[in-house]
Amino acid sequence: MAKKNKLFVLDTSVLLHDHDAIMHFERHDVAIPITVLEELDKFKIGNDTKNFSAREVIRFIDKISANGGLQQWINLGPNLGSFKVLLDSQPKGVDAETVYGVGKNDHKIINATLAVKEQEPKKEVILVTKDINLRIKAKALGILAEDYETGKVHSHELEQTSSSTIEGIESETIKQLFLKGTIDEDGILGNQKVANGYYILKNGKSSGLAYFDPHTDTLQRVEKEYTSGIKPKNAEQAFAINALMNNNIKLVALQGVAGTGKTLLALAAALEQHKLFQQIILARPLVPLSNKEIGFLPGDAKDKIGPYMEPLWDNLKFIKSQFGENEKRHKHIVEMEENGRILITPLAFIRGRSLSNILFIVDEAQNLTPHEVKTIITRAGEGTKIVFTGDVHQIDTPYLDENSNGLAYLIDRLKGQNLFAHVRLEKGERSELANLANDLL
């Protein structure tokens, strides 16, 4: 039996997640219901990434339809399928609005998919959406429905530790690492050799922490040193500080559950290197409470964003508390706050800026899309270092998961690059109680 050609119907969530999605289905046909076009129109105004994506999709559709209408199939190019806007949303058979209720856009999108399924019996029609509930509703009415897979990474890749323990190392090798600080790699790492990789070299009870420098093909000793009054409490934290303090590494991803010290270490390292950068920016995406926009909160802009930024201020206060109020280090941090050399802000407030000679820390990066992460990195000018921190298992936005978020995508795509280092912090150091919650709840 001949295999059916596929027809993918895209939901609004897919196009806001990736404005190039229409071009990512190879030789298969792609369609969007007119309801999706109406939703894109509502999203087109604003400075957020979703607003940019909406505008880009609308421009793309306008461009490809320049020589004709949208009611006929439009060829997308060589080795690609065709595109169409679905105007007919009334199926002859089962009606989603009768089953689920009238007036909701999700139900109109399901009906458009049911209608095109009736019109195109020779094609396998699949609804693609990042909305889990919409997928479930569609499947209940006999529609094939799936998530948008482009940019997704495999779970097992993220579960792998970022550092490797290598057993059976010659005791003399570990001794030389301690004495000299740097030794030739000379095949020690075997097939576990990764640019900017971190290793625990062991021989029985003796061990050493090491970093592989791809520029010199050497292993360098990693020590647990104080940084802005903060001392690493385990090997992974020592590796994180090493990556953060290494001027050859321009992009760092710190992954780990709550309490592992990701943001604290990033900020401590930034303050330690303040002379190398004109400004330290610590930002995080604003994730609206209960899917309501920030505007519904009382007060002015500062009052609205205060609760979101408080965890970042807590880290800065903790670092300041490591020094007495009359100590030079404490006064200098306060001075940097006052003159704007330390900036703690929502990520949206610096959108569009060109980032030159800045140490830029992006907290809660798992709540960004792959496109948003790419946009931030492409803003980097000369002398800039960017640090992404987050927990890929703690997603606060409805259309991302642990395999499709920007932090996971970054780690998967850039592993082994000379400018990039990834450290996974596995041991919580906040308190025994916090560790208990992470392990058992």
Side-chain angles (χ1 to χ4, degrees), residues 120-132:
E120 302 280 356
K122 293 182 179 180
K123 293 180 181 177
E124 183 180 17
V125 177
I126 302 166
L127 176 62
V128 183
T129 173
K130 299 201 71 64
D131 186 332
I132 297 173

Side-chain angles (χ1 to χ4, degrees), residues 186-202:
D186 199 23
I188 293 169
L189 303 178
N191 60 5
Q192 298 190 63
K193 181 177 173 180
V194 177
N196 301 317
Y198 289 92
Y199 304 89
I200 302 173
L201 307 181
K202 298 192 75 172

Side-chain angles (χ1 to χ4, degrees), residues 28 51 101 110 188 258 292 352 372 376 380:
H28 305 293
N51 309 124
I110 292 174
I188 293 169
K292 293 181 180 179
E372 286 174 317
I376 291 167

Side-chain angles (χ1 to χ4, degrees), residues 177 181 198-199 208-211 220-224 235 238-240 242:
L177 180 66
Y198 289 92
Y199 304 89
L209 306 183
Y211 154 75
Q220 299 175 8
R221 186 176 74 243
V222 175
E223 297 186 70
K224 295 180 181 178
F239 293 152
N242 182 275

Side-chain angles (χ1 to χ4, degrees), residues 6 32 41 108 140 198 204-205 254 298 311 318 324 327 332 370 381 399:
K6 294 180 180 180
I32 64 168
D41 189 57
K108 293 178 183 178
Y198 289 92
K205 292 184 178 180
L254 299 184
F318 183 79
E327 283 189 55
H332 185 68
Y399 300 137

Side-chain angles (χ1 to χ4, degrees), residues 29-257:
D29 294 335
V30 180
I32 64 168
I34 189 66
T35 305
V36 169
L37 204 56
E38 292 169 355
E39 287 189 331
L40 289 172
D41 189 57
K42 293 177 183 177
F43 279 109
K44 70 182 180 184
I45 297 172
N47 296 318
D48 206 350
T49 301
K50 63 187 177 185
N51 309 124
F52 166 80
S53 293
R55 292 192 292 270
E56 286 295 296
V57 175
I58 292 168
R59 288 191 193 105
F60 173 79
I61 294 172
D62 179 56
K63 182 179 178 181
I64 63 172
S65 63
N67 298 323
L70 290 168
Q71 297 181 28
Q72 304 300 318
W73 287 102
I74 301 168
N75 187 271
L76 292 170
N79 302 315
L80 294 172
S82 297
F83 172 78
K84 182 181 180 182
V85 174
L86 304 177
L87 302 179
D88 183 5
S89 61
Q90 195 57 47
K92 295 176 183 177
V94 63
D95 183 346
E97 291 196 299
T98 301
V99 177
Y100 296 128
V102 178
K104 194 169 181 181
N105 283 346
D106 281 2
H107 305 159
K108 293 178 183 178
I109 291 168
I110 292 174
N111 269 349
T113 309
L114 287 167
V116 77
K117 188 178 177 184
E118 292 172 351
Q119 296 160 13
E120 302 280 356
K122 293 182 179 180
K123 293 180 181 177
E124 183 180 17
V125 177
I126 302 166
L127 176 62
V128 183
T129 173
K130 299 201 71 64
D131 186 332
I132 297 173
N133 201 47
L134 179 54
R135 290 203 296 270
I136 293 170
K137 284 183 173 181
K139 288 174 182 178
L141 297 184
I143 296 172
L144 291 173
E146 61 185 43
D147 194 2
Y148 180 62
E149 297 292 330
T150 300
K152 276 206 165 192
V153 303
H154 298 296
S155 297
H156 68 85
E157 292 285 346
L158 297 173
E159 294 304 325
Q160 292 177 357
T161 179
S162 61
S163 58
S164 300
T165 300
I166 301 180
E167 303 277 359
I169 300 294
E170 295 281 345
S171 57
E172 183 63 24
T173 299
I174 296 174
K175 181 180 177 182
Q176 290 300 315
L177 180 66
F178 273 98
L179 290 174
K180 296 180 179 179
T182 301
I183 59 173
D184 291 333
E185 189 274 328
D186 199 23
I188 293 169
L189 303 178
N191 60 5
Q192 298 190 63
K193 181 177 173 180
V194 177
N196 301 317
Y198 289 92
Y199 304 89
I200 302 173
L201 307 181
K202 298 192 75 172
N203 180 299
K205 292 184 178 180
S206 64
S207 64
L209 306 183
Y211 154 75
F212 173 64
D213 185 345
H215 302 285
T216 59
D217 201 31
T218 59
L219 286 168
Q220 299 175 8
R221 186 176 74 243
V222 175
E223 297 186 70
K224 295 180 181 178
E225 296 181 342
Y226 278 93
T227 306
S228 296
I230 306 297
K231 186 176 182 180
K233 293 185 176 181
N234 56 52
E236 286 78 21
Q237 288 194 353
F239 293 152
I241 287 178
N242 182 275
L244 293 163
M245 298 292 290
N246 188 328
N247 291 331
N248 290 324
I249 299 174
K250 302 298 184 183
L251 183 61
V252 178
L254 299 184
Q255 172 196 356
V257 298

